[in-house]
């Protein structure tokens, strides 16, 4: 089987190209060409690295205090950063363009060729928006944060403060 690296994962996918056009996402064609080339490049290596180094849960520190922190290999962060920058978590919620869901889905298909596991937190973030919109007070607080195009790998509280020992108890 030929390597997927160095290929345009959008241009190589006839059904994806046809579906984008048919379902109203033609405005995103150039965006998808760029995404297909991107995900067929360096992210392929990130995917292999991410799978060689799965996330590690640290429940306690060396003194026995609760820590509850997940340690991620840098490849996971690179994949997440790219997914957020390409709006896999928020594109249809951030634009009124017709076919925005199709454009997001097509980008998502390309990204999944590099590594599928990072899609879980991306998808959960995407799915949270319609739920949060049902709660105005929560929406006002959370939507600007979860729809941002900037990925922050730190373990921080909603107020932006970095978690410190004992925060999970309060």
């Amino acid at each position: 089987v030929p390597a997927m690296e160095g290929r345009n994962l959008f241009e190589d996918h006839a059904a994806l190209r046809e579906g984008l056009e048919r379902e109203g996402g033609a405005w995103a064609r150039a965006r998808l060409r760029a995404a297909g080339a991107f995900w067929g490049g360096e992210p392929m290596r990130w995917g292999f690295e991410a799978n060689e180094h799965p996330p590690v849960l640290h429940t306690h520190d060396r003194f026995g205090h609760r820590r509850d922190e997940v340690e991620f290999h840098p490849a996971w962060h690179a994949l997440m950063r790219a997914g957020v920058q390409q709006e896999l978590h928020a594109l249809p919620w951030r634009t009124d363009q017709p076919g925005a869901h199709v454009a997001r889905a097509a980008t998502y298909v390309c990204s999944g060729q590099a590594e599928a596991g990072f899609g879980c937190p991306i998808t959960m973030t995407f799915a949270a928006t319609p739920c949060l919109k049902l709660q105005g007070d929560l929406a006002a607080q959370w939507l600007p944060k979860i729809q941002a195009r900037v990925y922050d790998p730190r373990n921080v509280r909603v107020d932006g403060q970095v978690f410190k020992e004992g925060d999970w108890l309060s």
Side-chain angles (χ1 to χ4, degrees):
V1 176
M4 295 291 288
E5 293 176 40
R7 299 176 63 182
N8 188 312
L9 301 175
F10 177 69
E11 290 297 334
D12 288 353
H13 200 309
L16 202 57
R17 291 191 325 268
E18 291 169 12
L20 182 74
E21 299 289 327
R22 183 185 63 244
E23 301 301 326
W27 61 270
R29 190 179 313 113
R31 177 187 185 118
L32 263 296
R33 281 190 188 117
F38 173 78
W39 289 107
E42 190 174 8
M44 289 291 186
R45 182 178 54 79
W46 299 341
F48 283 107
E49 290 176 3
N51 285 293
E52 290 292 319
H53 304 280
V56 177
L57 172 62
H58 299 285
T59 58
H60 294 80
D61 67 15
R62 67 186 186 110
F63 302 107
H65 301 114
R66 291 294 301 192
R67 180 174 165 196
D68 293 332
E69 186 173 356
V70 179
E71 178 184 348
F72 292 93
H73 184 273
W76 286 101
H77 292 301
L79 289 162
M80 290 293 295
R81 183 174 294 107
V84 168
Q85 288 171 344
Q86 292 191 12
E87 298 182 282
L88 292 177
H89 67 303
L91 178 62
W93 316 133
R94 294 174 47 91
T95 183
D96 292 331
Q97 289 278 4
H101 282 281
V102 175
R104 177 207 173 258
T107 308
Y108 195 89
V109 168
C110 293
S111 73
Q113 303 298 312
E115 204 289 319
F118 88 97
C120 181
I122 291 285
T123 299
M124 296 305 292
T125 303
F126 174 75
T129 291
C131 298
L132 287 170
K133 285 183 174 183
L134 297 174
Q135 296 292 322
D137 55 332
L138 291 177
Q141 181 182 17
W142 282 96
L143 290 181
K145 296 174 188 315
I146 69 170
Q147 292 180 357
R149 289 188 68 184
V150 177
Y151 173 71
D152 185 351
R154 299 174 305 149
N155 188 23
V156 297
R157 301 183 326 196
V158 70
D159 64 6
Q161 297 298 311
V162 175
F163 275 100
K164 298 182 295 294
E165 186 176 317
D167 278 352
W168 57 88
L169 299 175
S170 55

